Every structure is written in structure tokens, then in C-alpha cells.
Amino acid sequence: MRVSLKRFLAVTLLLLLPVVAVQSVKQTSWGPILAAPSSRQTGSPNAKVVIVEYSDFQCPSCALVEPTIHQLLDLYKGKIRLIYKYYPLTKIHKNAMPAAHAAECASAQKQFWPYHDRLFQTQLSWATLPDPTTSFMAIAQETQLNIPAFRTCYADPSPIPAIEQDAKEAVNREVKATPTFFVGDDRLVGPVFMTDGAR
């Protein structure tokens, strides 16, 4: 697929994000994107255009853009692939890491995207809880996960390094706000929750 179509998709994404102040930044290279499990990718696996999203489940702007992302995937069905990368802003969003942990446990059961959607849809109900575990368990039931396996995974810290690896990658790629999207070398930034000093 030609670069011009990648640019077109980047412009389309900009136009479809009216709820977030977005700026487009161009640079020849932002550093490498590490492999992501197939369970955290959606769209055509053979698509030549890949969108990488760095996001925080407790970020209100990230929740606001989700319907637009679904619209984009429908509009360009078969032509694009979306990769989700964790970037929990732990200093300002105390439940962001637990939410990412829960999502990674859903990912282990190949149910990342239904769980991802419900986390954003119910964000206001769990974001400020002292302990969001009950909410995350309820979402696990809604998305028909294996509850004993989910509970065991959520109690196990071993999924956390995968989340931290994504966050480190975000820092290395100069991600400064959530959500941030990359379409090829084009970076689209929603500068609402700045990450400088926020992790």
C-alpha cells in the first residue's frame, strides 16, 4: 500500500477524532515497535497499514476516542490493522495498572478486545474506586471469561512485565500523552493527559 494511502488514513483518523485535541507530528523514525501478541491486534492480519495505539484504560480521552476507532476499523475493514499497547499513567491514574493487568489476563484467554471495550465503557464506575477488583471481576463475567483462571491470573504479578515493556517502548518512542497513535511514521497525539513526570 502506498505511503499516500497511509497519509490518507492518518488524515482520516485526525478528522474522526473531534473529541480530543489532536496534533499530527512527522518524523522519519520513532524507534522500533516490539512484537505484540495477536490477541491485542485487530483488523486484517495482512493489512499493509498498521495503526499502533498507546493507551491508558483510566484516561478519559482514551475512552472518548474508542467509538471513533471502531468506526475507523469498520470504514477501512480489511485494509488496516490496529495494535494496542499499554501505557498506564500510574502517577495520575492509580487504577490504570490494575486495569491493564486485568486486560492482560483477558488477553491470555483470547478475549482482550471485549474486555478492553467494557473497561472503557464502564470507566467512570471503577476509575476512582479504592479497589477496582470487584468491577474487573464483573467485566470478566460479562465477557464470559473462565473466572477461576482470570482470578488466578489477576492475583499473579507475572503479566505485569508485558505491560511495563509496552510502557518502556512508549517512552523510547517519545510518547508524551494518551492516547497516541502511530500510522507509519506519522504520530497523532491527543495532548490531554501529558505523561512527562506522570509515570
Side-chain angles (χ1 to χ4, degrees):
M1 193 169 290
R2 293 195 304 246
V3 173
S4 58
L5 184 50
K6 291 181 181 180
R7 295 284 295 176
F8 177 73
L9 286 174
V11 171
T12 300
L13 185 57
L14 280 170
L15 293 175
L16 290 175
L17 295 177
V19 295
V20 181
V22 177
Q23 61 182 345
S24 178
V25 183
K26 175 71 174 179
Q27 182 169 310
T28 55
S29 176
W30 296 101
I33 299 172
L34 301 178
S38 59
S39 57
R40 282 197 276 122
Q41 302 182 38
T42 189
S44 174
N46 299 316
K48 294 181 180 179
V49 174
V50 178
I51 299 174
V52 181
E53 175 185 9
Y54 294 87
S55 179
D56 173 338
F57 284 113
Q58 198 175 337
C59 163
S61 295
C62 297
L64 285 172
V65 302
E66 280 310 307
T68 300
I69 299 305
H70 283 285
Q71 182 183 354
L72 189 72
L73 288 167
D74 288 341
L75 187 62
Y76 294 105
K77 189 172 183 178
K79 296 181 179 179
I80 62 175
R81 177 164 49 101
L82 174 68
I83 299 173
Y84 184 93
K85 294 280 190 169
Y86 301 112
Y87 195 20
L89 307 181
T90 55
K91 289 187 180 178
I92 58 174
H93 294 151
K94 64 184 181 64
N95 287 334
M97 180 59 83
H101 189 168
E104 187 65 4
C105 290
S107 179
Q109 296 190 37
K110 310 300 183 187
Q111 291 295 315
F112 172 80
W113 293 104
Y115 201 92
H116 158 285
D117 290 350
R118 289 300 292 154
L119 277 175
F120 280 124
Q121 290 162 3
T122 63
Q123 184 188 80
L124 292 177
S125 69
W126 58 261
T128 60
L129 293 177
D131 182 356
T133 301
T134 300
S135 295
F136 297 160
M137 291 300 301
I139 296 173
Q141 292 177 330
E142 288 177 33
T143 53
Q144 301 182 337
L145 298 183
N146 178 312
I147 298 304
F150 178 85
R151 185 179 290 111
T152 298
C153 177
Y154 189 65
D156 182 357
S158 62
I160 292 177
I163 300 166
E164 293 175 336
Q165 177 178 282
D166 278 1
K168 182 179 179 181
E169 177 183 298
V171 171
N172 291 340
R173 303 194 80 214
E174 300 180 36
V175 174
K176 301 293 186 183
T178 57
T180 290
F181 302 89
F182 288 87
V183 184
D185 283 336
D186 291 292
R187 186 176 72 174
L188 311 177
V189 184
V192 178
F193 290 94
M194 303 308 294
T195 63
D196 287 344
R199 284 191 52 74

